[in-house]
Amino acid sequence: MENNKNKILVTGGAGYIGSHTCIALHEAGYEIVIYDNLSNSSKEAINRVSSLIGKPIEFIEGDIRDAESLRKVFTAHQFFGVIHFAGLKAVGESVAKPLMYYSNNVSGTITLLEVMAEYKVTNLVFSSSATVYGDPETLPINESSKRSCTNPYGQSKLVVEHILEDLATSNKQWNLINLRYFNPVGAHTSGQIGEDPNDIPNNLMPYISQVAVGKLTKLNIFGNDYPTVDGTGVRDYIHVTDLAKGHVDALRYAEHQTTPVGFMPINLGTGKGSSVLELVTAFAEVTGQKIPYQFTARRAGDIASCYASADKAKQLLGWEATHTITDMCADTWRWQSMNPYGYKAS
Ligand code: NAD
Ligand code: UFG
């Protein structure tokens, strides 16, 4: 049977970035199958994506480490490619449970790649992270910057990158588009889907929005003595719908290659850094909510500044971020205020 250029397997499609990407894929004319073990997401996210796109989505509950379950999916569908979001992502948890992280993120990816190879599906878009750059020597960070990681989560991404590089060297059939995300924030403009962390958020934007909605009392700002514009950490925040569009453009790029590109790392960021205080101020201004905060000690493992050179994404994919920090705050707040308990009813 001929490879169906429209059908995409989305592992981890029930998650934060995956759910937004499913909408972008649908809008671009792709057919989607979601494969997710719901370890960090809920079926409700898929229901909401279905209602936003106006049609049911095929969902298979399964683990990427389960080769037999994956084979069933690949036997039932002819995929053009896989967008591989499935994985665990909490840095602190990865330090406490390294084996769980290597098993999910590394073993899981190997199993997925083996099944893809069996079924001759050779187009992959992988969720890597700016974390692979460690503490960057120069800014903005381009794709050939040195890579190093200090925690098991980051290591798991770096190990997968090396596996993908080796795979591309061993066999010239692969398009392995390795997207390195900077700091994804924001939510779909409908307010229907967004980031829904379990417990207390680790990341800045969900923490701010939970302070704004009254679930948390005060933001702790981790350090105000960094060599940055105001002493607080600087990051490249990118709207999740811009990020989602980047995946569609990556697939189109793979589709248009006459010779497979092998391993292709591409940054997805805006190219602009914002400090913690700048984000807090923007959020308060855009939403009219007060964000009480206090300065505390630096968080172990944090770096001062991190922002992307987004030139390669523009050159190769024709992609660039279009949403501003104001959009990111407004959309986060719409999602948070419409869904104070996330996907749970209360
Ligand atoms: P998320 O936790 O919301 O989504 C990940 C999804 O994968 C969840 O639905 C989870 O249930 C599923 N999953 C986890 N392990 C699985 C397994 N073994 N089998 C099947 N499904 C499994 O996270 P996200 O923010 O949407 O991130 C998506 C990807 O992007 C992850 O690989 C993450 O490491 C990477 N990433 C995220 C960020 C970020 O800040 N959000 C930054 C850089 C990279
Ligand atoms: N911060 C606070 N208080 C908080 C949370 C964060 O001051 O409660 C600060 C941090 O010190 C940092 C900035 O806000 O300066 C951003 O922190 P995040 O935790 O939101 O994001 P990180 O850049 O530390 O890390 C995130 C993901 C990583 C990923 C990386 C790059 O957690 O997994 O972005 O994509 F690798």
Side-chain angles (χ1 to χ4, degrees):
M1 211 190 303
E2 218 190 320
N3 196 348
N4 180 349
K5 285 216 163 186
N6 274 333
K7 208 180 244 192
I8 305 299
L9 179 66
V10 185
T11 74
Y16 171 46
I17 305 170
S19 56
H20 290 81
T21 302
C22 286
I23 293 178
L25 287 168
H26 168 79
E27 286 168 352
Y30 288 100
E31 235 184 282
I32 312 148
V33 176
I34 294 180
Y35 186 87
D36 197 304
N37 67 0
L38 301 179
S39 59
N40 196 39
S41 51
S42 81
K43 188 94 196 301
E44 178 60 14
I46 300 172
N47 295 339
R48 294 198 187 180
V49 171
S50 296
S51 80
L52 284 167
I53 69 175
K55 67 178 231 192
I57 291 183
E58 173 137 14
F59 167 58
I60 296 123
E61 188 169 344
D63 196 295
I64 49 166
R65 291 165 294 182
D66 183 345
E68 267 321 301
S69 162
L70 281 174
R71 281 192 190 101
K72 281 190 193 134
V73 180
F74 278 76
T75 302
H77 302 275
Q78 284 283 309
F79 294 114
F80 168 70
V82 177
I83 303 187
H84 177 32
F85 294 107
L88 300 175
K89 62 167 181 177
V91 174
E93 186 185 52
S94 80
V95 174
K97 298 177 179 171
L99 298 181
M100 189 168 103
Y101 271 68
Y102 288 118
S103 169
N104 258 278
N105 296 4
V106 180
S107 302
T109 302
I110 292 173
T111 304
L112 173 67
L113 289 166
E114 284 171 342
V115 175
M116 287 176 70
E118 274 174 44
Y119 286 81
K120 303 200 172 6
V121 176
T122 52
N123 297 302
L124 176 81
V125 179
F126 175 63
S127 300
S128 189
S129 165
T131 196
V132 301
Y133 295 120
D135 195 351
E137 282 166 359
T138 51
L139 292 165
I141 305 171
N142 67 40
E143 288 79 357
S144 45
S145 302
K146 214 175 83 200
R147 289 174 289 170
S148 75
C149 286
T150 52
N151 61 73
Y153 166 69
Q155 289 288 9
S156 74
K157 291 291 176 191
L158 194 46
V159 170
V160 170
E161 289 204 358
H162 289 312
I163 291 170
L164 297 180
E165 284 173 277
D166 291 343
L167 184 61
T169 307
S170 73
N171 178 325
K172 305 294 176 203
Q173 296 306 307
W174 293 91
N175 282 306
L176 303 168
I177 317 297
N178 182 73
L179 300 179
R180 294 184 182 138
Y181 313 151
F182 280 66
N183 288 58
V185 297
H188 191 258
T189 45
S190 63
Q192 289 300 310
I193 58 168
E195 190 169 9
D196 183 18
N198 286 327
D199 308 323
I200 296 175
N202 298 309
N203 298 116
L204 180 62
M205 186 65 114
Y207 203 107
I208 292 176
S209 66
Q210 292 200 10
V211 170
V213 84
K215 282 173 78 181
L216 298 167
T217 51
K218 185 185 280 187
L219 170 71
N220 292 311
I221 297 184
F222 302 142
N224 61 346
D225 57 352
Y226 285 108
T228 61
V229 59
D230 53 26
T232 65
V234 165
R235 297 292 185 273
D236 186 341
Y237 297 98
I238 171 167
H239 197 295
V240 66
T241 49
D242 278 332
L243 200 61
K245 168 76 169 40
H247 293 74
V248 172
D249 294 342
L251 281 178
R252 294 266 192 252
Y253 171 74
E255 220 172 287
H256 290 121
Q257 299 308 309
T258 41
T259 314
V261 294
F263 177 75
M264 182 58 73
I266 303 176
N267 287 342
L268 291 184
T270 65
K272 185 181 169 299
S274 304
S275 74
V276 176
L277 278 176
E278 285 169 345
L279 195 66
V280 170
T281 306
F283 194 96
E285 268 174 27
V286 173
T287 65
Q289 303 299 308
K290 283 205 167 37
I291 314 294
Y293 65 82
Q294 63 186 3
F295 294 113
T296 62
R298 290 181 178 192
R299 181 170 65 179
D302 270 1
I303 56 174
S305 297
C306 171
Y307 52 91
S309 158
D311 296 347
K312 191 172 176 186
K314 187 166 184 193
Q315 241 170 45
L316 291 188
L317 311 182
W319 175 91
E320 64 188 323
T322 59
H323 290 83
T324 62
I325 288 283
T326 302
D327 302 330
M328 300 178 209
C329 294
D331 292 339
T332 300
W333 179 236
R334 189 175 306 107
W335 153 252
Q336 181 71 74
S337 49
M338 285 169 67
N339 307 273
Y341 298 97
Y343 290 113
K344 289 176 251 2
S346 62

